[in-house]
Amino acid sequence: MLTGDRPTGDLHIGHYLSSLRSRVALQERGVDSFVLIADYQVITDRDSVGQIKNHTLSLLTDYLAAGLDPERSTIFAHSAVPQLNQLLLPFLSLVTQAELQRNPTVKDELAASHRPLSGLLLTYPVHQAADILFCKADVVPVGKDQLPHVEQTRVVARRFNIRYAAGSEVFPEPTALINDQQLILGVDGRKMSKSRGNVIRLAATEDETAALIRKARTDSERTITYEPERRPEVANLLTIASGFTGRAPESLVEDLGGGGSGVLKHLVIEAVNEGLRAHRERRTQLAEDRSYLIQILRAGNAKAEVVADKTLAEVRQAMSMDY
Ligand code: TRP
């Protein structure tokens, strides 16, 4: 399994419910797991790397606090594994400019970035293919928006095997694992986004969490019902509470009586703060020891390099470049 995040900021409850927990579950089932911090991908759609080191360590902190075990899961930074970038050259030879230009993820990010198309953004699907194929991942847990990348990765793997490896399977074709957790919206009912201030960060305090949820948008109907289409903001709050309590939204509604949104918010605040208490305690402790975090990351980088070296050697051999 390989998956990853871009270190553009702190992780939030959406990440926790949709990706962090399922990564830990895969690890617990004994799946050989790689988690990549995609630092170079930060500059696909913006001009500066920002607080990249802090964000990288913040991601790592949440991975560890959530239960990823660096002994069993390889956690590493893209930039620390140069072999990934070397795989990029043969892979680039296997895709066409037209394929890259019509990739829906590239198009969406280009439109959202309000910038001219950079070479890095254009080749986004190909460096992501290198991320996935270097460890020969079979399973790639991602959000729906990343599906076109996994599709392109399958094409790269297939073409590599045919064109450069005489049909032998140097690279397996990976499968995307789409999470069935419903998308969590921000407290204003729109997409969670740092710039909108509608995000509940895992690093937030209980008071900050409560304040955010208290100002969440609801509607003026007194009785709480779970109707995602008609009442998206109320349904979103119920989905969040459901994610942290493990109870179905319909069953939560039954307990609310005629209490309206005040009672609903109280329930959500309790659910989130309760559900994250142990995680937050661990993350606070971990965050105090920056040198430990760096040490863990370096060990993960070294583990990833060993795997990447082996794959690169196979690629060189398949391509008769094993001098
Ligand atoms: N592009 C992904 C995102 O923005 C992050 C990522 C980078 C990734 N490399 C990956 C995800 C490889 C899965 C597999 O969320």
Side-chain angles (χ1 to χ4, degrees):
M1 182 281 268
L2 177 129
T3 190
D5 299 296
R6 277 193 254 188
T8 52
D10 293 337
L11 296 181
H12 54 64
I13 59 168
H15 295 115
Y16 185 82
L17 295 177
S18 67
S19 56
L20 288 189
R21 289 201 304 196
S22 55
R23 290 175 193 175
V24 175
L26 286 170
Q27 170 192 276
E28 294 309 316
R29 283 165 61 187
V31 176
D32 187 9
S33 301
F34 288 79
V35 181
L36 159 136
I37 301 177
D39 47 7
Y40 271 129
Q41 277 196 2
V42 167
I43 41 172
T44 48
D45 64 352
R46 63 197 76 197
D47 296 330
S48 106
V49 293
Q51 293 266 320
I52 198 156
K53 195 180 280 184
N54 287 338
H55 292 155
T56 295
L57 294 179
S58 172
L59 256 53
L60 176 61
T61 305
D62 280 315
Y63 295 163
L64 300 177
L68 284 182
D69 169 5
E71 294 292 323
R72 286 180 288 163
S73 294
T74 304
I75 305 169
F76 67 102
H78 184 152
S79 64
V81 184
Q83 294 87 339
L84 290 179
N85 296 335
Q86 195 163 345
L87 288 174
L88 187 58
L89 290 186
F91 289 178
L92 279 171
S93 74
L94 298 168
V95 300
T96 67
Q97 185 191 10
E99 278 172 334
L100 298 177
Q101 268 166 339
R102 66 170 178 255
N103 181 294
T105 313
V106 171
K107 284 210 277 203
D108 288 350
E109 291 199 10
L110 177 63
S113 79
H114 306 292
R115 286 178 168 78
L117 179 61
S118 73
L120 189 64
L121 180 51
L122 180 66
T123 55
Y124 185 2
V126 196
H127 42 88
Q128 194 146 321
D131 296 348
I132 295 169
L133 294 178
F134 95 91
C135 65
K136 307 193 180 186
D138 310 294
V139 182
V140 186
V142 279
K144 269 203 207 80
D145 64 309
Q146 298 286 310
L147 264 182
H149 286 350
V150 180
E151 221 14 79
Q152 184 73 66
T153 301
R154 293 171 64 87
V155 170
V156 167
R158 198 176 315 143
R159 287 186 190 153
F160 186 95
N161 296 339
I162 293 169
R163 292 195 202 167
Y164 299 139
S168 75
E169 203 194 69
V170 174
F171 293 111
E173 289 184 35
T175 307
L177 196 67
I178 301 293
N179 211 281
D180 53 11
Q181 165 71 40
Q182 210 174 329
L183 188 71
I184 304 287
L185 303 172
V187 292
D188 55 359
R190 300 194 297 167
K191 186 173 185 258
M192 269 213 186
S193 142
K194 254 181 301 139
S195 54
R196 295 196 183 118
N198 64 1
V199 170
I200 304 172
R201 292 173 310 120
L202 297 175
T205 64
E206 298 201 354
D207 286 346
E208 285 164 353
T209 303
L212 268 165
I213 295 172
R214 255 184 237 114
K215 69 163 210 214
R217 248 184 83 156
T218 48
D219 56 35
S220 54
E221 280 181 48
R222 183 80 194 141
T223 310
I224 298 300
T225 52
Y226 181 64
E227 295 174 77
E229 293 293 324
R230 196 173 67 82
R231 308 180 69 185
E233 294 98 350
V234 168
N236 184 51
L237 288 176
L238 286 164
T239 303
I240 293 172
S242 166
F244 283 103
T245 57
R247 292 179 54 195
E250 293 82 358
S251 128
L252 292 171
V253 166
E254 284 168 18
D255 288 359
L256 294 173
S261 60
V263 176
L264 170 64
K265 287 178 182 177
H266 182 74
L267 171 87
V268 179
I269 292 169
E270 288 290 300
V272 176
N273 282 341
E274 187 83 23
L276 285 179
R277 195 158 294 137
H279 179 95
R280 283 171 166 165
E281 274 166 19
R282 282 192 294 271
R283 105 173 295 294
T284 306
Q285 247 179 6
L286 286 160
E288 275 166 15
D289 196 348
R290 204 172 156 97
S291 65
Y292 170 75
L293 293 170
I294 300 225
Q295 187 193 318
I296 293 291
L297 188 57
R298 285 193 181 150
N301 292 342
K303 265 166 65 184
E305 272 215 70
V306 171
V307 175
D309 253 336
K310 192 162 162 273
T311 302
L312 193 55
E314 284 176 53
V315 165
R316 288 193 178 115
Q317 196 181 18
M319 299 182 76
S320 304
M321 295 174 180
D322 50 337
Y323 312 120

